[in-house]
Amino acid sequence: MSTITASEEQQVVDQVPKQLYVGGEWRDGAKGTLSVEDPATGESLAEVADASVDDAKAALDAAAKAGPDWSRHPPRERGEILRRAFQTIIDRADQLALLMTLEMGKPIAESKAEIAYGAEFLRWFSEQAVRIDGRYAVAPNGQGRLLTMKQPVGPSLLITPWNFPLAMGTRKVGPALAAGCTVVVKPAQQTPLSMLMLARILEESGLPGGVLNLITASSSSETMGPLIADPRLRKLSFTGSTEVGRKLMEQASHNLLRVSMELGGNAPFIVFDDADIDAAVQGALIAKMRNIGEACTAANRFHVAGSVMEPFAAKLADKMGSMKVGRGTEAGVEVGPLIDGRQRQKVAELVDDAVGRGARALVGGHARAGAGYFFDPTVLADVPSDAKALREEIFGPVAPVRSFADEAEAIAAANDTDYGLVAYVYTSNLGRALRVVERLETGMVGLNQGMVSNAAAPFGGIKQSGFGREGGPEGIEEYLETKYVAVNV
Ligand code: NAP
């Protein structure tokens, strides 16, 4: 990777529209602007519009107005707009990746991977737009016909987190637009720039005004509350923390909104004694270190068979300890900064808590001094069962390792959490693999692989990790209602 100059950085930031996108127009926010920070330096990158409640209502007005036309727009054309946007994202991957690294911190190579992954949702749902179908059946008594049809849910509010600034948006925008829903999108205030570029690209791809509206705001509760209470809204899709998800569900209950919740995780990574240990370490690095550990799917705790615990932990510590930490724009950097000081403080507290209870830091264990929110990749061995790091989402480059005695203990430990998003299992025994997978209380499992994300697969959790699925054939169903027609013949 050649060195990225300050003027190249400035150029990609300058290209981003910084206003609100409402009814096909870019306009200022009534509350002025809010600052977007580079987490590697703590310095301001850009100012974007700060929406008021009235701005947010205008976005819903626009979505409601555009709804009927968009729902009748030919599915093929809806798909073709998404397909053009997919291609534009791929064509501009280098600039978009740099922008993402600047606002979120992850290394450029990882931003490129997210750009490819995020764009893929637009391609996948461009193909699904023309596969929305229904059913025709003869009633069991032979007297009538049962017809079902799928129709768009209606205006949808899409709220996304900062950790995957583009993909968390395309994962919702793709199926919503393909289904014929109009949307109001609200990205996290730390990382609005990638989503603003997505809105611009969809506009350039021919999306009619009002179909997608984008609000950036310094107060999400103040601006989103009135939209969730508005009877014209029909759907809320949220990705973020379980705590906020719970609050939003309460608010959504008043209007009985259709709701999808992609919430926090506490993924166990189980390594059995029959596993290929080098492959397990490789998978562990991906499951733990992708996105600097700031992924809902991040392996949060490692449960390793007692007989292979030492070599596994030593190899993992060796690999994690040799990863280059730095600003994501620099050549060779594999670990960027955490998103902000608060997140870094939380990670430090979880490490201190585990060490205070007797865990051993095989590598790392500390925040880095200086500008930015860097934390050293950390492996903790002999982590006691009461350590907070085993219960709470770490969201940082920290791998707590514990041993287990047998299969039953491994499964019990894996399921001993309120969350249920994903689990990882490493074993070479097929029977054991299937037995364990069946008993894991999660929405997804990585079997002998450290990553599950794929636009063609249903992503989502159970328990306190939420409900609903994004991606795969299931993804578009979240934005469709089924209407049944009883036909008298
Ligand atoms: P967060 O604090 O819950 O925020 C997520 C989004 O909700 C942001 O846009 C935020 O806006 C907004 N928000 C916060 N409070 C709100 C309120 N009262 N009303 C309306 N909107 C509100 O989560 P985060 O820290 O950004 O993201 C990290 C979390 O997301 C982790 O728990 C992670 O596991 C989860 N996550 C889950 C998945 C999944 O698919 N299951 C994927 C990625 C991330 P502001 O920016 O203005 O606060």
Side-chain angles (χ1 to χ4, degrees), residues 159-163 168 171 186-190 217 220-221 224 238-241 244 248 262-265 296 393 395 421 459:
I159 303 181
T160 60
W162 49 263
N163 62 341
M168 296 303 97
R171 221 160 73 158
K186 212 291 293 169
Q189 54 183 296
Q190 288 107 323
S220 44
S221 54
M224 296 298 106
F238 172 75
T239 299
S241 62
V244 173
L248 294 180
E262 298 285 348
L263 308 178
C296 51
E393 195 174 32
F395 244 52
L421 189 61
F459 188 106

Side-chain angles (χ1 to χ4, degrees), residues 53-351:
V53 172
D54 284 346
D55 291 326
K57 282 187 182 158
L60 182 57
D61 290 346
K65 190 162 166 236
D69 273 358
W70 184 245
S71 69
R72 289 190 291 266
H73 208 80
R76 175 65 76 199
E77 286 179 25
R78 295 201 299 256
E80 278 169 0
I81 292 168
L82 292 174
R83 186 66 173 74
R84 282 197 288 278
F86 158 79
Q87 193 57 51
T88 307
I89 292 174
I90 296 301
D91 293 345
R92 297 192 202 157
D94 287 346
Q95 297 101 300
L96 292 169
L98 175 54
L99 183 70
M100 186 181 288
T101 291
L102 291 175
E103 67 173 339
M104 189 273 165
K106 69 179 93 179
I108 290 281
E110 286 205 54
S111 290
K112 281 193 182 158
E114 181 182 337
I115 299 293
Y117 169 58
E120 207 51 61
F121 286 98
L122 302 185
R123 177 155 69 170
W124 173 265
F125 287 108
S126 76
E127 293 156 351
Q128 296 300 102
V130 292
R131 289 178 178 75
I132 300 167
D133 52 20
R135 211 166 67 221
Y136 178 85
V138 178
N141 64 4
Q143 308 272 302
R145 300 296 177 263
L146 314 179
L147 186 64
T148 63
M149 57 182 77
K150 298 278 177 76
Q151 296 184 309
V153 170
S156 302
L157 177 59
L158 315 179
I159 303 181
T160 60
W162 49 263
N163 62 341
F164 290 97
L166 181 78
M168 296 303 97
T170 55
R171 221 160 73 158
K172 298 184 191 303
V173 168
L177 301 192
C181 295
T182 55
V183 300
V184 176
V185 184
K186 212 291 293 169
Q189 54 183 296
Q190 288 107 323
T191 59
L193 304 179
S194 298
M195 201 79 90
L196 284 161
M197 281 307 290
L198 175 65
R200 169 56 55 83
I201 287 170
L202 282 162
E203 180 186 31
E204 289 171 8
S205 303
L207 192 70
V211 174
L212 178 138
N213 306 277
L214 193 151
I215 289 296
T216 48
S218 60
S219 177
S220 44
S221 54
E222 186 186 304
T223 48
M224 296 298 106
L227 298 201
I228 297 171
D230 191 309
R232 293 171 301 169
L233 191 75
R234 293 312 317 141
K235 161 94 193 179
L236 168 65
S237 179
F238 172 75
T239 299
S241 62
T242 298
E243 187 192 351
V244 173
R246 208 176 278 125
K247 273 190 217 155
L248 294 180
M249 264 192 77
E250 272 178 39
Q251 292 176 32
S253 70
H254 294 287
N255 278 333
L256 295 170
L257 292 183
R258 282 276 299 270
V259 177
S260 305
M261 288 281 156
E262 298 285 348
L263 308 178
N266 178 9
F269 189 107
I270 308 172
V271 183
F272 285 101
D273 53 6
D274 54 34
D276 174 337
I277 297 300
D278 289 332
V281 170
Q282 212 47 45
L285 272 181
I286 297 167
K288 179 72 255 178
M289 295 305 288
R290 175 171 173 244
N291 229 41
I292 322 154
E294 295 171 315
C296 51
T297 49
N300 208 55
R301 51 209 165 94
F302 293 81
H303 299 283
V304 184
S307 59
V308 294
M309 217 282 289
E310 282 301 332
F312 175 85
K315 285 181 181 191
L316 185 61
D318 184 46
K319 296 263 187 209
M320 279 177 57
S322 62
M323 292 178 90
K324 185 172 172 192
V325 180
R327 190 163 186 247
T329 50
E330 288 163 18
V333 163
E334 295 162 283
V335 187
L338 296 176
I339 191 70
D340 56 25
R342 214 182 86 211
Q343 183 58 32
R344 183 168 70 168
Q345 181 60 28
K346 185 187 153 201
V347 172
E349 281 168 17
L350 291 175
V351 170

